[in-house]
Amino acid sequence: TRLAMAKNPKGSFQTGTYELSPQASLPELAETIWSGNVKQASFTIPEGWSLQEMGAYFEQQGWFSTEDFLSVTKQIPRDRFSWLPENLPFLEGFLYPDTYQVPIDQRSPQAVVDTMLKRFESEALPLYQQRQNLTDLSLNDWVTLSSVVEKEAVVPPERPLIAGVFWNRLRQSIALGSDPTVEYGLDIKQTQDQPLTLNQVRTPSPYNTYLNPGLPPTPIASPGLASLKAVLAPEQTDYLYFMARYDGTHIFSKTLAEHERAQS
């Protein structure tokens, strides 16, 4: 113990789960515990995942149930994260997509949510606070539009272009017409073999941006840093429409006639 203290005078014996070798000597064991090197568990949340997808992932990993995770994400901890927008129904969009490590004995929904909110606070929030333009853009609207860009963009260089199209549509009071918002509202996922039907696009939902003007009421996924940046620095064009190709890129059009020609 004294040897461990001498090697690391700033350490202290800390509770937690440690990975210890049965061949280790007593001083080596003491040093491991004194240094506080508790055993870590890692998890990775990709950009563009929704809360539902995160919950299913944690359940599949055996950490906790989807239901328990979603229950915690409905509790908005503004007492600890005062920057969170008021009146959020849940934390969709604000759990930062990244790779994390947490102590293996702290794999609870609350610990995971707090860890991800802290990462949003350190990585994403400064971008918003230091923005030079769009000063009237609310935090919730920034994350919401970024989440739509995240779900629409496949090829990274197109993110600022897609953000620019959505800004142009918003400023001209044209409905965003984004498929991913319809999918989110109906809790479905279209595929190349099963695209959205006309009936689905016409189904009322607060998230249906074909039927409702402006932004959806909340983010629809967790946007990554590139999408968050694209919304703050969109590419300036006259494009109002885009259509997906099968390779992930899009055809951009300035008029409805051009857009309809691209679809034919």
Side-chain angles (χ1 to χ4, degrees), residues 16-18 38-41 63 101-108:
T17 301
Y18 293 83
V38 297
K39 190 175 181 181
Q40 301 284 311
W63 284 33
Q101 286 196 326
V102 294
I104 201 166
D105 54 357
Q106 293 182 24
R107 292 179 294 176
S108 68

Side-chain angles (χ1 to χ4, degrees), residues 127-156:
L127 287 178
Y128 177 76
Q129 294 170 333
Q130 295 161 17
R131 68 197 185 284
Q132 299 300 311
N133 52 8
L134 303 172
T135 52
D136 58 343
L137 179 66
S138 74
L139 177 61
N140 190 58
D141 285 353
W142 174 52
V143 178
T144 298
L145 183 52
S146 298
S147 73
V148 180
V149 171
E150 184 68 56
K151 297 299 290 185
E152 290 279 12
V154 178
V155 180

Side-chain angles (χ1 to χ4, degrees), residues 3 18 21 75 90 109 118 125 148 172-173 180 203 209 238 251:
L3 183 59
Y18 293 83
S21 169
Q75 302 162 23
F90 37 72
K118 287 174 186 173
L125 191 60
V148 180
Q172 295 184 40
S173 299
T203 301
T209 56
D238 294 327
I251 300 172

Side-chain angles (χ1 to χ4, degrees), residues 3 26 35 39-40 46 83 95 97 100 162 186 191 195 198 203-204 222 239 244 246 248:
L3 183 59
L26 193 57
S35 300
K39 190 175 181 181
Q40 301 284 311
W83 48 266
L95 301 187
Y100 295 87
I162 290 173
L186 298 179
T191 63
L198 194 57
T203 301
S222 283
Y239 293 136
Y246 289 117

Side-chain angles (χ1 to χ4, degrees), residues 34-62:
W34 178 259
S35 300
N37 296 323
V38 297
K39 190 175 181 181
Q40 301 284 311
S42 66
F43 67 92
T44 298
I45 302 300
E47 298 169 349
W49 267 16
S50 66
L51 294 176
Q52 186 71 44
E53 288 173 305
M54 293 180 202
Y57 165 76
F58 287 120
E59 184 167 287
Q60 186 180 38
Q61 296 292 105

Side-chain angles (χ1 to χ4, degrees), residues 115-217:
T115 299
M116 296 180 75
L117 284 173
K118 287 174 186 173
R119 189 71 55 87
F120 184 99
E121 186 175 69
S122 65
E123 299 297 324
L125 191 60
L127 287 178
Y128 177 76
Q129 294 170 333
Q130 295 161 17
R131 68 197 185 284
Q132 299 300 311
N133 52 8
L134 303 172
T135 52
D136 58 343
L137 179 66
S138 74
L139 177 61
N140 190 58
D141 285 353
W142 174 52
V143 178
T144 298
L145 183 52
S146 298
S147 73
V148 180
V149 171
E150 184 68 56
K151 297 299 290 185
E152 290 279 12
V154 178
V155 180
E158 287 191 351
R159 281 194 180 94
L161 263 175
I162 290 173
V165 169
F166 284 140
W167 272 121
N168 288 343
R169 293 178 74 88
L170 286 169
R171 286 169 177 146
Q172 295 184 40
S173 299
I174 301 172
L176 293 184
S178 171
D179 284 4
T181 65
V182 175
E183 295 174 64
Y184 186 85
L186 298 179
D187 193 21
I188 58 176
K189 196 165 189 175
Q190 68 172 325
T191 63
Q192 188 173 321
D193 297 330
Q194 288 187 312
L196 286 177
T197 66
L198 194 57
N199 281 340
Q200 288 170 332
V201 171
R202 290 175 174 173
T203 301
S205 155
Y207 288 88
N208 188 325
T209 56
Y210 284 93
L211 301 179
N212 304 311
L215 294 168

Side-chain angles (χ1 to χ4, degrees), residues 224-241:
L225 205 58
S227 294
L228 291 162
K229 287 180 177 178
V231 167
L232 293 179
E235 193 160 332
Q236 303 296 321
T237 71
D238 294 327
Y239 293 136
L240 286 171
Y241 305 90

